[in-house]
Amino acid sequence: MSKGSFGLGVILGSTIGVASAYLLAQKSGDALQEDIKDKANESKNKMVIKLDEMLDEAEIAVSEKLTDTESYNPPVQYEVTPETVAAPPENTALVDDPVVIPDVKL
C-alpha cells in the first residue's frame, strides 16, 4: 500500500464517519456542528504533527544517505612531459604589421 492511497483512505474514512455521525446523531444541529468542528480540528492537528514527523525522518534519512555516499575526489595530478606542454607562441606581431619609424632631421 502506498502512502498516497493510505492518505486517501484516511480522508475518505473521515468523511464517511462525519457524514454518518451527522445523519445518525441524537443532538441538535448546532451542538453536532460544534462536535464535528472540534473533531475535524483534532484530526487536522494530528495529521499536521504526523506530517512534520515524517518530514523530519525523511530529512534525517536523506542527510545520512548523502554523508554515507560522499567520497573524496583528489585533484587531478598532471605530469609535465613534452607531449602535455604547449609550445610557446611565436611572436609574429612585428612581421605582420611592421613599425615604421619616420626619418626625422634635427
Side-chain angles (χ1 to χ4, degrees), residues 23-64:
L23 294 174
L24 302 174
Q26 297 179 4
K27 297 180 180 180
S28 68
D30 293 334
L32 180 63
Q33 286 180 358
E34 279 298 317
D35 286 346
I36 291 173
K37 285 179 187 177
D38 291 341
K39 290 185 181 192
N41 283 332
E42 284 179 28
S43 298
K44 181 188 81 166
N45 291 337
K46 286 180 183 178
M47 290 180 71
V48 167
I49 291 170
K50 185 66 176 172
L51 180 63
D52 284 342
E53 290 172 357
M54 290 171 52
L55 287 174
D56 288 341
E57 291 173 6
E59 286 178 2
I60 291 170
V62 167
S63 67
E64 287 175 354

